[in-house]
Amino acid sequence: MKQYDSVQDYINDIQQHIYWKRARGIATKELELHIQDQKEALMEQGVAESEALRAAINTMGSAEKIGNELNLAYRPKVNLPLIGLTFAFIIIGVLITCLTDAAFPITKGIAILVGAILAFLLYWFDYTVLIRFPQIFYFVHLLIVAIVFAFEARNGLSLISYNYTTYLLLLFPITLTGVTLNLRSKKETSLRLLYFALYAVAPLICAFLVSSIPTIALLIITDFVIVIYGIKKKWFTFSFSSIISLVCLALFVTTLLYGLDFLLNINLGNSSRSTEFIQSVIREKIGQTSFFGERSFVIQTDIDQLIMTDYPISVLLLKYGYFSVVIVAALFGLLLFLFNKIITRQKTDIGYLISLIITVIISFQFICAILCNLGITYYFTMCLPFIISGGMFMVYNLILIGIILSVSRNEDIAQNWISYKERSGIYV
Amino acid sequence: MHNKSLTYGNVDMLVLKLIEKNDMYGYQIIEQLEKQSNNVFQLSAGSLYPLLHNLESKGYVVTYDAPASSKTPGKPRKYYQITRSGKEYLCEKASEWEKYSNAIDNILCTGRRVAI
């Protein structure tokens, strides 16, 4: 066996055989300490230090053999069921578009490609940097939202829909997760919730300005999830002063929003009024259809054409019955099952919270989309994730998939990796 | 000399049994395994740590950092603690081993009686 004069040379040799670079430090840290313990045990028996070190390394065995064993043990996880199911959903979406006789738009194809590339890049993303630089991520995110909003609003606030601004806002729950975890380091525990509320308010105001009720609802729901988790982990505590501060903040924000509505004539939910009539038509048609559908959907009016393009699940239901919706629901149940497996395997707060938030976001979209296509609600109009999605929505959901795949990939080493970085002094 | 094929596939059972009694770090596990088996089982670090990582990824053990109990106080070690599913797995493996070793004993005892 090759002779080593220092532990570091031996460890470096072992690490050469571990393919996953991120796991190298974690995999070999215990070996370094083990050699130290062995050396000290030999020195207690009267062996000289340099001899003891050489003997301790020799008892470990060949660096190549250990490296190969550790390489097999430390492998990044690829969540093939989740990737396969996402791909299946996208294919189902294409088939549904064909079955409902709508032409498949090229822009959607481009969106699928762009989304898949972003998901692939995010799979390699070190999501733990969200704790490392939370304020930077938050304020850069807010700045990008402000710039995009200003760009989209240049024609007037009430004239257009804020596609890009909305989807950027819908990524705030992920950014807020990093902020929340960073708040744990604040010594004044009773003020942490107030700090969180201050960070959460800005995206909510932006969502109000773009007049998007689903975005506001989703941000509020995810904020509640984060707060409840924070209370459960005892990061957030309540005191009289913090409750008073929160009440004052809520009053201030409400006043601000009323003021903005008056000054800028935002008319929150105005766009929902136009869908109310369409949904009443959908409800009437669904009420007349059988469980297995009518096998055809005849376009007789402009409303029917609108239903064909904007409510394809309703068309599917009318053509093929409730059975088709049950199939779609079952597939989403399977997706939620896979998400739940990822959540329960997380050993770090950041992994747990991010995967939980993404599950909540996708579940919310699904529930709203089904209710909307059944004509039950017109306030929470959302696309069915992956299946019936416009271009930007597809990209957004694939970004979420990329992030959760990254969480799943690193779940075995994340706990050790965060501790390792803290010990190495990387986290300030 | 000890035939390693006899312990192959049962090392995880031995390791889990050791940490069932007390949480231990890697070096302690190797020390105790040697001591309690009268040097029959001599596990190398290169075999132990990948095994421990696999047990952790299956949820049979959890880990935490704590100062080492002995010579170098203050330097944290990674301690391994058995979980409930680890204990269930250990029971399963122990019962399989008991069946296996009883079967071998029966055959060996029968063989001796025939020989006599």
Side-chain angles (χ1 to χ4, degrees), chain A residues 15 18-28 74-76 121-129 405-407 409-411 413-414 416-418 420-421:
Chain A
Q15 287 184 346
I18 301 172
Y19 171 75
W20 193 11
K21 282 186 186 168
R22 202 173 276 188
R24 282 178 181 174
I26 296 148
T28 53
Y74 286 87
R75 290 273 170 133
L121 291 171
L122 284 164
Y123 170 73
W124 300 99
F125 172 60
D126 170 15
Y127 65 92
T128 60
V129 298
L405 282 173
S406 172
V407 169
R409 176 177 184 256
N410 294 294
E411 65 195 23
I413 67 163
N416 293 323
W417 194 45
I418 291 171
Y420 169 68
K421 279 190 171 183

Side-chain angles (χ1 to χ4, degrees), chain A residues 30 34 36-37 73 423, chain B residues 49 53 65 72 75 77 80:
Chain A
E30 280 183 287
H34 189 107
Q36 204 171 339
D37 288 337
R423 282 199 296 272
Chain B
Y49 290 106
H53 177 77
D65 283 346
T72 49
K75 286 204 176 182
R77 295 289 187 271
Y80 291 85

